[in-house]
Amino acid sequence: MERSFKKEVQALTLGDGDTFHGEGILAVTKALLQSGVSYVGGYQGAPVSHLLDVLVDAQEIMADLGVHLETCTNEAAAAAMLGASINYPLRGAVTWKSIVGTNVAADALSNLASPGVVGGVMIILGEDYGEGASVIQERSYAYAMKSSMWLLDPRPDLPTIVRMVEEGFELSEASHAPVMMELRVRACHVTGEFKTKANRRAAVSGKNRLPGPPRFEYGKLAHPPVTFSQERLKVEERLPTAQKFIRERKLNEVIEGDLADIGIIALGGLTNGVLRALERLGLADLYGASRVPIYVLNVAFPLVPEELRAFCASKRAVLVVEEGAPDYIEQAVNTELRRSDIQTRVLGKGLLPHAGEYQSEPLINGLADFVALTQPAGIAADAILARAKAMLSHKTGALKELGDIPARPPNFCTGCPERPVFSAIKLMQRELGPTHISADIGCHSFATFAPFNLGNSILGYGMSLASAAAVGPNMERRPIAVMGDGGFWHNGLVTGVASNLFNKGDGVLIVMQNGYASATGQQYLPSSSKSRIGSAPGMTIEQTLRAFGVKWLRTVRTYSVAKMTKTLKEAMRTAERGLKVIIADGECQLARQRRVRAEDAEKLKRGERVVKTRFGVDDEICTGDHSCIRLSGCPSLTVKPNPDPLRTDPVATVIESCVGCGLCGEVAHAAVLCPSFYRADLVRNANSWDRALHRVRRAVIGWLARAPQGAAPEAEARA
Ligand code: SF4
Ligand code: SF4
């Protein structure tokens, strides 16, 4: 991992009564250590990547506490790790991105939830729901319900988040069930402070191991016939115990309000948004006091019937604020109230959207409509509705004024090593025609956007090759599956490669070997050149593929567009049946730039020679057809007005952000475009050879151009 969290790690050493300042996700890290965990692990993914990154950087602190850390190869491995708490009194926490990670972990989670746990188990989920979500619009709630795991959804403020972690472990131990805690992106990044406690060393840990033989109890296995009694335990014992614990510890909150004949039932994570919308409507203040009573569900699942009934009994109507579909909580509230013969009207979907994130606009609209519909005593409800409409009306006008704004899709970083591979695919397709591309999860999925528009399906992380299994036999041309090295180790090796070889499949697989799990923050992989403990893990993709039996295997430097195009054509045309794998090799440019910048700064400090490469376009040669831009898609390659007054077409130009990867020149060469690209090496602390070479070059250029020569402070060479 290239990004360092050394500063954040210092906050993990705070003791009793100190004040922690920072982000929600870092507060979780501290809360875990305060809770006396014996082991932690997980798989990185937004918005909880930080959590694992910080734990990795805090290895010394954790070693001192005897906490075992596992950077798992996927979420299934992380979930299975929680098996340690089935038999032993070990508190453990793992983290991943949900819903996708929970999908991967589902099998192990079912088999964990069935026997239950004796040590507290906490799963920190990055709930990636909403407009910022990078993948599927689904919620973790369904998993909590189906497996009888409790789901915490804390109000996004640091003391509540920390309390939920600490009491969540107790809830897990009291009810013998795993506990999940979902944190949306805003909760992860909300900033605040809380009073810390000293970190707790667990009674059993790496520093104080369990003596004696392992515990054997058949009832702790998720295996029939005991699973039948485990199902009964879930419903008859664990659920009521959990509900009692939640009620007695007051994990849910009620914000009292004077408009007592109506109320809002809000998931904890949405409470800040609800309060802000009420404040805009004049029904709350900036400090969280509300005129409408709010029942805050810091525990999203299970509901606590007694609390719910007590909140609703005296109200004419309640509004359930729950994003997404289905309306699990609204249905549960309706069922509970009707069973108890409480006739409070339950509103929710309809006033609020059935799908999508509840940002300020839907909340303001929904709350204003709720107030107007229910006409609570003591306020002018229609004036509130008018206020909401007036507030939001400017948006239509503003949009009209702005006119059509061009879409700005996400894109590869400048100089990304994966971009050239898609340039090569485009060039190959020019000659051989379009082919089915099975895309995957990772930075390379940006190729599905302009200017490449390459990718016909995405079935999940590491799934591209498997998702092409039935495409190849039904299409004239071989499909191409694109997979990152992250996806390869996550499950692509077994799900895709082994399955293809086992079934004697055909097709082409491109593995982007950039050295890291780049999209999630450059975490190390089994094939990285380093690991969190320093040395390389020693597993290479090439050796692994050969060991699996892949015969047709080429490793090509990604920036060599001509060679990559040629290799792709060969893979597509060869009569040889079977899987053809191209390892596209090139270090993640973002990671490289971070590394090189630091190395160069050190070299400059020592007065050593540093070379920076930049590319440029010769205005006089550029034809202005911009094929180079369409083929490379580099954000540093753009257009500028033509300096020649006799030519009107804008010319291509390279801007300051260029990292000198060379792709534009390679593409121009491979696609036989105009020869307008040049490379310039900017040399700092030039040596005598650089200076001599510079003088010779200036002399030759001066002679050719009949231009005067002059000394330059830095040696610059065009090649
Ligand atoms: S993070 Fe690395 S691999 Fe991902 S787009 Fe940026 S340079 Fe490419
Ligand atoms: S302008 Fe060319 S050399 Fe510079 S980063 Fe973009 S593709 Fe690479």
Side-chain angles (χ1 to χ4, degrees), residues 412-413 416-418 443 446 514 518 522 588-590:
F412 296 99
C413 301
C416 174
E418 300 184 354
C443 295
F446 291 144
N514 65 36
S518 296
Q522 287 91 40
C588 163
Q589 188 66 242
L590 193 62

